[in-house]
Amino acid sequence: MKTRNILLLLIIIGLNFTSCVKDEVFEGPPVLSELSITPQAPGESDIVTVSVKATDMNSIKSVKLHYAVDGVSATGISMSAGSTSNVYTAQIPAQGAGKTVTYYVEAENESGKKAYTPEGAPATPAAYTVGAPSIVLNEVYSRGTVEAPDWVEIYNNSDSPADISGYKVYDPGGQSGSKPKKEIPAGTILPGKGFYVIVVDDGTESGFGLSSGGDEVWLENASGNIIDNVAHPAFEPSQSYGRIPDGTGTWQILDNITRGTANDDSPPVPVILINEVYSRGTTENPDWIEIYNATTASMDISGYKVYDNGGQAGTKPKKEIPAGTTIPSKGFYVIIVDDEDASGFGLSSGGEQVWLENTSGTVIDDVTFPALEETQSYGRYPDGDANWQVLFVATPGSANDNSPAPSAVVLMNEIYSRGTTEDPDWIEIYNTSTSVAADISGYKIYDSGGQAGTKPKKEIPAGTVIQPGGFFVIVVDDEDASGFGLSSGGEQVWFEDAAGTIIDDITFPALAETESYGRFPDGTSNLQILSVITKGAANDNSTPPPATIILMNEIYSRGTTEDPDWIEIYNGSAFDVDLSGYKIYDGGGQAGTKPKKEFPAGTVIPAGIFCVIVTDTEDESGFGLSSGGEQVWLENAEGTVIDDITFPAFEETQSFGRKPDGSSNLVTFTEITRGSSNNNAGTLPKARRK
């Protein structure tokens, strides 16, 4: 029981809500349209039938025709609903020749709201003069340009000439009185069945442009009576809006503009054009030509042909568009021209001429396109327009886009602050664009000195261009007045364009000698310490493999026959290292006058362990170390020198090496530690500098 009561309550609420909505939505007046009289040019024996369409979202209560003859008090008669839905009619009795009849229609709905037609009624009614020529609006054009402005065509629907001097045409501005109505000049005679075109958007005080989105136009006679009006819709620049047949027919969009001549509702003449050309194709994306249907109807382009000089000269077949190819109105069709067919042709990247012909072999379009970049096409903008231009956005099969050329974005991409005299500090610049080269001539880079103005900013040389996705490295710690060393403890650096606008800045941290600071991936906002330095190349955020550290650690040059000269090798790596193929040598091996001494195959030195190689042997590669001191080298199996030491003269009870093991600190030892750690061995004091 409770459930049923709840359901009934919901239904009642719903009905009340619906009623409220209807009352709020539909309380406006009726809508009146399509007011007309038959015949349009009544004679003195003609009864005139007035018809109008009246609609309302609730219901029509009454529709009345009001008319007056020569200004005598108006007569109101009820209009009857006809057989056609929502159309009401009434008749005006026949009047004598020369009589002027004014009329308007009033409609009222059940809410008591009223509407009138024509617009401006009852103050401004429609009118006709018995026996007068039928002068009507016949064609309008609202898609004018500065060179060819909007116009309205007037038609004399009678057989006799008519003087239309002082007749006026106007839009809502003239109807409301907010601007003058455009008057037809004195002495204007319109022949029977003749046409008169008046340019309305002429720049004068009474001139008015017809809205391309739709507008309304009125025509009144010299007595100020409205004799015709039309509300036109939006239509294409290649169309107009007119009566078929002239003077009496219904209004419709016409695909053939017939200014000043008989209206024509035949199908439009095909306007098929080359619209876009792409000449920088690849195997995966070959060259193509886009065809555009500028017509307001679908067009069959089966058998049309496109071709370049080869087809034009007859040295190869023309490329034919397949049977059954139809392009919708304002639609596109893309044909690949650089295919494997006998008629295929590649478009020259340096530019050339191409042609389009119809099925009768008539050339209907041609274009000579220029050299293009890989990211460019050549096309009409807007689509179908006479304006050809290089387009920076290729749009095969869709509307052309004349967006400006994309600008390159350049950023600081990698920073190295642990430079040396031989390899000074540097900053890497990256062009993030994938299609546009960046000219960075006159750009500047600087640290706090340049920012504060205490020293010049470092300027990038004229003519410096970074290709798309490319890198440019500028050494900052040079001898120039603008040079600056990057702090090993970290600091801020700035990058500005040629106009002096800061386009990037980075605050980098302290770095180790084996580290840089950069973006990963290149050009992104993610900045991090990089363990792999990639100067002038793509950044790498991988963790480098553990370093192989093989060094000469101790040298003994005072050997004897029983205990020849030797060199101790130390493995400072965290893993075992195979020394097979490594070589050690002095000036003779370096000069190439004798073989280098090679470590035997299979020689493996464990991590943190020492290996001693006797150098002063009897074989061809043996060499004694000079007791007076000399330089020795160690190279890996690839032939890369990985260590070299110049040792001094020392006593028989001494050696020369690194302390601690593997360090860069070289000393003379007073204790010889062949094959073991130097860390606890005594050393000679280092000579003091004077």
Side-chain angles (χ1 to χ4, degrees):
M1 185 68 180
K2 288 182 179 179
T3 302
R4 189 172 67 178
N5 289 341
I6 292 171
L7 288 172
L8 287 171
L9 179 60
L10 289 174
I11 291 169
I12 291 167
I13 292 171
L15 289 172
N16 287 337
F17 177 77
T18 304
S19 175
C20 291
V21 170
K22 286 181 69 177
D23 288 344
E24 291 179 9
V25 172
F26 302 135
E27 65 178 11
V31 176
L32 295 175
S33 61
E34 300 179 21
L35 176 65
S36 66
I37 61 171
T38 306
Q40 282 193 314
E44 57 183 327
S45 61
D46 291 328
I47 296 173
V48 175
T49 299
V50 180
S51 66
V52 70
K53 185 174 184 179
T55 58
D56 190 86
M57 296 302 292
N58 280 326
S59 61
I60 298 293
K61 180 179 180 181
S62 64
V63 181
K64 290 183 179 181
L65 170 65
H66 299 269
Y67 71 92
V69 180
D70 285 344
V72 177
S73 58
T75 300
I77 56 176
S78 294
M79 302 184 76
S80 303
S83 58
T84 304
S85 177
N86 300 317
V87 174
Y88 294 77
T89 61
Q91 292 184 327
I92 299 174
Q95 305 294 327
K99 296 290 185 179
T100 296
V101 178
T102 57
Y103 63 96
Y104 67 91
V105 173
E106 171 192 287
E108 182 180 359
N109 63 18
E110 295 293 347
S111 301
K113 300 290 184 179
K114 294 182 179 181
Y116 302 89
T117 190
E119 187 170 338
T124 308
Y128 62 87
T129 300
V130 178
S134 174
I135 307 299
V136 295
L137 299 170
N138 198 58
E139 188 178 7
V140 294
Y141 185 72
S142 64
R143 300 306 299 269
T145 62
V146 175
E147 297 75 22
D150 297 344
W151 48 264
V152 173
E153 178 187 87
I154 298 169
Y155 180 66
N156 181 355
N157 201 31
S158 63
D159 294 323
S160 303
D163 186 345
I164 59 171
S165 306
Y167 280 45
K168 297 183 178 72
V169 290
Y170 47 91
D171 67 351
Q175 171 73 0
S176 65
S178 61
K179 68 181 301 179
K181 299 173 180 178
K182 179 161 286 298
E183 185 168 331
I184 294 174
T188 302
I189 306 297
L190 185 54
K193 305 300 182 184
F195 305 87
Y196 175 78
V197 174
I198 183 168
V199 173
V200 294
D201 192 11
D202 57 4
T204 64
E205 188 180 7
S206 63
F208 58 94
L210 297 172
S211 171
S212 60
D215 208 342
E216 189 165 7
V217 184
W218 288 263
L219 173 65
E220 67 178 41
N221 61 21
S223 300
N225 296 315
I226 295 172
I227 58 174
D228 200 11
N229 79 294
V230 62
H232 68 83
F235 48 82
E236 297 293 330
S238 60
Q239 298 174 321
S240 66
Y241 191 62
R243 298 178 186 269
I244 294 292
D246 294 308
T248 59
T250 57
W251 286 87
Q252 62 188 69
I253 293 174
L254 303 172
D255 288 311
N256 298 289
I257 300 169
T258 57
R259 172 178 169 161
T261 60
N263 288 348
D264 180 1
D265 65 346
S266 61
V269 175
V271 181
I272 306 298
L273 301 166
I274 299 172
N275 198 56
E276 189 177 6
V277 176
Y278 184 71
S279 63
R280 297 304 300 270
T282 62
T283 304
E284 296 75 24
N285 179 30
D287 298 343
W288 49 264
I289 293 175
E290 177 188 86
I291 310 298
Y292 177 65
N293 177 10
T295 322
T296 54
S298 294
M299 290 293 161
D300 186 343
I301 60 168
S302 306
Y304 283 46
K305 297 183 177 74
V306 289
Y307 47 92
D308 66 353
N309 292 321
Q312 173 74 357
T315 57
K316 68 180 304 178
K318 298 173 180 179
K319 179 161 284 299
E320 185 168 331
I321 293 173
T325 303
T326 300
I327 311 182
S329 170
K330 310 301 178 184
F332 309 88
Y333 173 76
V334 175
I335 184 167
I336 302 294
V337 295
D338 191 12
D339 58 14
E340 299 301 319
D341 191 81
S343 63
F345 58 95
L347 299 172
S348 171
S349 59
E352 65 170 316
Q353 187 173 8
V354 288
W355 290 264
L356 171 66
E357 65 178 44
N358 61 20
T359 52
S360 64
T362 302
V363 173
I364 57 173
D365 199 17
D366 72 283
V367 61
T368 300
F369 63 89
L372 299 170
E373 300 293 332
E374 292 179 5
T375 56
Q376 298 172 336
S377 65
Y378 190 64
R380 300 177 184 271
Y381 190 84
D383 297 306
D385 195 83
N387 175 51
W388 281 90
Q389 62 187 78
V390 173
L391 302 171
F392 296 97
V393 181
T395 56
S398 59
N400 287 348
D401 181 348
N402 75 334
S403 299
S407 57
V409 176
V410 287
L411 298 168
M412 292 184 287
N413 199 57
E414 188 177 7
I415 296 170
Y416 184 69
S417 63
R418 299 305 301 268
T420 62
T421 304
E422 296 74 23
D423 181 20
D425 297 344
W426 49 264
I427 295 176
E428 175 189 270
I429 310 298
Y430 175 63
N431 179 3
T432 65
S433 171
T434 58
S435 59
V436 181
D439 186 342
I440 60 170
S441 306
Y443 283 44
K444 297 183 179 71
I445 203 159
Y446 48 91
D447 66 354
S448 54
Q451 173 73 356
T454 57
K455 68 181 303 178
K457 298 173 180 179
K458 179 162 286 298
E459 185 167 332
I460 293 173
T464 302
V465 176
I466 309 179
Q467 295 304 313
F471 306 88
F472 173 77
V473 174
I474 183 167
V475 172
V476 295
D477 190 12
D478 57 14
E479 299 300 321
D480 191 81
S482 63
F484 58 95
L486 298 171
S487 171
S488 59
E491 66 169 317
Q492 187 173 8
V493 287
W494 290 264
F495 184 39
E496 67 179 42
D497 62 20
T501 301
I502 294 172
I503 57 175
D504 195 17
D505 73 283
I506 293 176
T507 300
F508 63 89
L511 300 170
E513 293 178 5
T514 57
E515 295 174 334
S516 65
Y517 190 68
R519 302 177 185 274
F520 187 84
D522 296 307
T524 65
S525 59
N526 179 51
L527 287 157
Q528 63 185 80
I529 292 174
L530 302 169
S531 298
V532 180
I533 299 168
T534 57
K535 178 179 179 179
N539 288 347
D540 181 352
N541 76 334
S542 62
T543 301
T548 299
I549 304 171
I550 299 295
L551 297 167
M552 293 182 285
N553 198 56
E554 188 177 4
I555 296 171
Y556 186 70
S557 63
R558 300 303 300 270
T560 62
T561 304
E562 295 76 20
D563 183 15
D565 298 343
W566 50 264
I567 295 176
E568 176 189 89
I569 308 300
Y570 172 65
N571 180 6
S573 315
F575 48 87
D576 297 353
V577 176
D578 187 346
L579 298 182
S580 303
Y582 279 56
K583 296 182 178 72
I584 199 161
Y585 48 91
D586 66 354
Q590 171 74 358
T593 57
K594 67 181 301 177
K596 299 173 181 179
K597 179 166 284 296
E598 185 169 334
F599 285 74
T603 304
V604 176
I605 181 170
I609 300 302
F610 309 89
C611 171
V612 174
I613 183 167
V614 174
T615 60
D616 190 10
T617 58
E618 297 299 323
D619 64 272
E620 190 179 6
S621 64
F623 59 95
L625 299 172
S626 170
S627 59
E630 67 170 316
Q631 187 173 8
V632 286
W633 291 265
L634 173 65
E635 66 180 44
N636 62 20
E638 288 74 40
T640 301
V641 173
I642 58 173
D643 193 19
D644 73 281
I645 294 177
T646 300
F647 63 88
F650 49 80
E651 300 296 329
E652 294 177 2
T653 58
Q654 299 172 336
S655 66
F656 187 75
R658 302 177 185 275
K659 184 177 181 180
D661 297 315
S663 72
S664 60
N665 181 47
L666 290 162
V667 296
T668 300
F669 292 108
T670 57
E671 297 178 55
I672 300 169
T673 59
R674 171 177 173 162
S676 61
S677 175
N678 297 338
N679 292 351
N680 297 318
T683 62
L684 289 179
K686 288 191 175 182
R688 293 183 180 178
R689 294 181 180 178
K690 294 182 179 180

